[in-house]
Amino acid sequence: MKFLFVGTNPENTGGATHFVALAQALIESGHEVHVVTCAGGLIAQSLAQSSASLHYAAFRNAFDARGCRDVLAVAKQVRPHWLVGNFGKEYWPLVIIGRWLRVPVALFRHRTPPMKRLSAYGIPRLATRFFAVSEYARQAYLDRGIPDALVHVLYNPVNLSKCLPDPARCCAIRHALGISDDAIVLGYAGRMHGGKGIFTLIEAATAAMAEEPRLHCLWLGDGPEAAALRARAAAGPKADRHHFLGWIHDVGSYYSAMSVLAFPSIASETFGRVSIEAQAAGVPVIASQVGGVPETLHAGVTGLLLPPGDVESWRNAITMMCNEDFRRPMAEAARPYVQERFSTKVIAEAFVRKLTS
């Protein structure tokens, strides 16, 4: 099957990461993939070494005539079996181009806040397939009146080859940070702002450090409250056991250095890619029971679900995870769980099946 993906957002967002992962999944499954994207952006950089054919355009908004013209030209040249879009400003242009060329259109919605009234009504009904990335998100759209039959679910795929348990890499990262090989490393990867639950996590982790001298925290990411988080760690009694690395483009190689991943969001999350990436690397997860996050792990088997914002519950869970006999079975179950539900092969097959059914 031949696909034309259209995604001209230059930013590093969850939608962009999904766009890249799905395109790569289809390529690995033997499909032909063409991509219209922004030159120099994350999508172009990530797909540059793949067999995807890259074309360049930009959309300032849904009414950008130049962007529509450029995508229409590529679509006429490629003649895809499906047009695929991930970003709101390209929904209407793709629907119109698809109707013009009689090419079916698959659109993904990664956020649960409502679209504008016309788009909220028209896009799910005019797209050939409209996808949510979790059952939680799907229910949010149904609650707003979108008919049940029009909203499909396709989870984010994860490339298992990029998230591997790697003992050598684990040792190298830990030694560079002055962390001993027998340490227990609690990792966080993501944006640093209050809605992500970072202050709950640092309070709970610091309290757990008082009970477990081998416990360290590895913080990956940046954001508007990164400085406040660093200041809180520096003012605490265990400052030397909080390690801040800032923004890391290739987070996959750092999962091996973690014993456990924390996903402590307080605000609702549509899904939670870092949870499945960590499990793919054999790392169990402790996560907030909020939004679509529970769909990313097998509670009690590959990780734990906790009440968001509850410092005492998080402290207790972190302490439990410091027990190797408790943690090891979850670590062993994590990668097979991801392979069965979220691997690129599984998601690519599910996508094609939903398009053709």
Side-chain angles (χ1 to χ4, degrees):
M1 197 174 290
K2 188 188 301 183
F3 295 91
L4 176 57
F5 279 64
V6 178
T8 64
N9 273 23
E11 299 90 357
N12 184 354
T13 63
T17 305
H18 171 270
F19 184 103
V20 170
L22 183 58
Q24 290 174 330
L26 291 167
I27 291 168
E28 290 172 13
S29 297
H31 298 282
E32 182 179 337
V33 175
H34 296 257
V35 177
V36 176
T37 190
C38 171
L42 172 77
I43 293 170
Q45 292 172 5
S46 300
L47 293 174
Q49 302 305 315
S50 74
S51 63
S53 297
L54 300 184
H55 312 264
Y56 300 104
F59 278 87
R60 291 170 296 177
N61 52 55
F63 306 103
D64 191 329
R66 180 178 295 180
C68 290
R69 181 201 66 192
D70 292 343
V71 172
L72 179 60
V74 175
K76 284 181 176 179
Q77 174 191 341
V78 171
R79 288 292 172 179
H81 298 115
W82 282 86
L83 287 168
V84 183
N86 254 29
F87 304 102
K89 64 184 177 182
E90 292 151 2
Y91 287 169
W92 281 110
L94 287 177
V95 165
I96 293 168
I97 290 170
R99 291 298 175 99
W100 189 320
L101 299 180
R102 297 185 179 180
V103 176
V105 176
L107 299 178
F108 287 85
R109 182 72 176 167
H110 293 268
R111 304 172 63 234
T112 54
M115 292 182 275
K116 292 181 179 179
R117 184 175 297 179
L118 178 61
S119 294
Y121 181 85
I123 291 300
R125 292 167 172 82
L126 294 174
T128 317
R129 295 287 188 278
F130 181 76
F131 287 95
V133 294
S134 65
E135 292 291 348
Y136 163 77
R138 180 178 188 271
Q139 188 59 52
Y141 306 142
L142 299 186
D143 290 345
R144 297 192 190 109
I146 300 175
D148 179 272
L150 296 184
V151 188
H152 307 267
V153 173
L154 191 78
Y155 288 125
N156 285 277
V158 61
N159 189 330
L160 290 164
S161 67
K162 293 185 177 181
C163 299
L164 289 166
D166 187 341
R169 180 65 174 156
C170 172
C171 290
I173 292 172
R174 290 187 176 201
H175 288 175
L177 295 171
I179 301 174
S180 65
D181 291 338
D182 67 344
I184 299 155
V185 178
L186 177 68
Y188 172 86
R191 287 271 291 167
M192 291 188 174
H193 63 76
K196 292 292 187 180
I198 53 175
F199 296 108
T200 297
L201 180 60
I202 198 167
E203 187 175 344
T206 301
M209 286 173 180
E211 301 178 41
E212 176 51 74
R214 296 175 300 158
L215 180 62
H216 289 248
C217 274
L218 180 59
W219 299 89
L220 309 178
D222 204 352
E225 295 185 84
L229 185 70
R230 288 172 182 262
R232 174 107 37 119
K238 308 296 179 183
D240 60 330
R241 288 198 261 156
H242 289 281
H243 308 270
F244 292 88
L245 273 62
W247 173 254
I248 301 291
H249 177 68
D250 181 18
V251 176
S253 61
Y254 281 83
Y255 292 125
S256 287
M258 300 177 188
S259 309
V260 184
L261 177 87
F263 197 130
S265 288
I266 297 171
S268 185
E269 298 275 357
T270 308
F271 187 61
R273 168 174 289 278
V274 294
S275 173
I276 58 173
E277 287 180 343
Q279 290 170 84
V283 179
V285 174
I286 50 176
S288 291
Q289 189 157 5
V290 63
V293 176
E295 298 174 52
T296 68
L297 70 152
H298 189 172
V301 177
T302 67
L304 301 173
L305 286 173
L306 305 172
D310 186 331
V311 174
E312 186 65 16
S313 293
W314 278 83
R315 183 194 65 80
N316 290 339
I318 294 167
T319 301
M320 285 192 293
M321 283 292 192
C322 289
N323 182 330
E324 188 176 355
D325 290 338
F326 181 82
R327 186 178 71 249
R328 188 191 305 112
M330 292 187 176
E332 292 172 350
R335 187 171 172 86
Y337 170 75
V338 172
Q339 192 162 18
E340 180 181 337
R341 291 178 60 85
F342 303 110
S343 68
T344 50
K345 182 177 185 294
V346 167
I347 299 301
E349 289 176 353
F351 184 47
V352 172
R353 186 167 59 250
K354 289 174 184 289
L355 295 182
T356 54
S357 62

